[in-house]
Amino acid sequence: FYVFPNPANSIANIKFNLASKQENIIINMHNIVGKKVKTIHNGVLHQGSQNIPIDISKLSKGIYFININTPQRKLVQKLIIE
């Protein structure tokens, strides 16, 4: 998966492809010290291309981590907010 634009300042997007028919996906955003600052998605997504926008306009400038958790895997990408 990837996050764009990166760096971002008001809206960022998470893009990935889901191969299985449906999967329970949890997407959280954590700050540099590991504290969860935002739950982006918590529920079922269906097969195909996913593009999930994130409103980051109220977050402070800095480095954050987008975590995608599925029953099979855990993925992390860095996001810089300007």
Side-chain angles (χ1 to χ4, degrees), residues 2-33:
Y2 60 97
V3 180
F4 68 96
N6 196 2
N9 56 26
S10 60
I11 299 287
N13 295 281
I14 301 170
K15 188 158 182 103
F16 61 95
N17 190 39
L18 190 59
S20 57
K21 288 187 179 183
Q22 66 180 27
E23 211 166 332
N24 190 41
I25 307 282
I26 300 169
I27 305 174
N28 291 316
M29 183 179 219
H30 294 83
N31 64 16
I32 193 79
V33 296

Side-chain angles (χ1 to χ4, degrees), residues 12-82:
N13 295 281
I14 301 170
K15 188 158 182 103
F16 61 95
N17 190 39
L18 190 59
S20 57
K21 288 187 179 183
Q22 66 180 27
E23 211 166 332
N24 190 41
I25 307 282
I26 300 169
I27 305 174
N28 291 316
M29 183 179 219
H30 294 83
N31 64 16
I32 193 79
V33 296
K35 180 182 178 188
K36 182 169 70 171
V37 295
K38 189 175 195 78
T39 297
I40 299 162
H41 181 83
N42 187 355
V44 174
L45 290 176
H46 298 280
Q47 184 176 23
S49 180
Q50 310 292 322
N51 185 36
I52 300 172
I54 316 163
D55 179 4
I56 56 172
S57 61
K58 293 184 173 92
L59 294 173
S60 300
K61 294 179 182 182
I63 297 172
Y64 294 84
F65 296 95
I66 307 295
N67 300 286
I68 296 182
N69 296 307
T70 73
Q72 292 81 22
R73 60 193 163 270
K74 295 179 182 196
L75 305 167
V76 178
Q77 285 287 329
K78 180 170 64 172
L79 171 64
I80 299 170
I81 298 178
E82 295 184 323

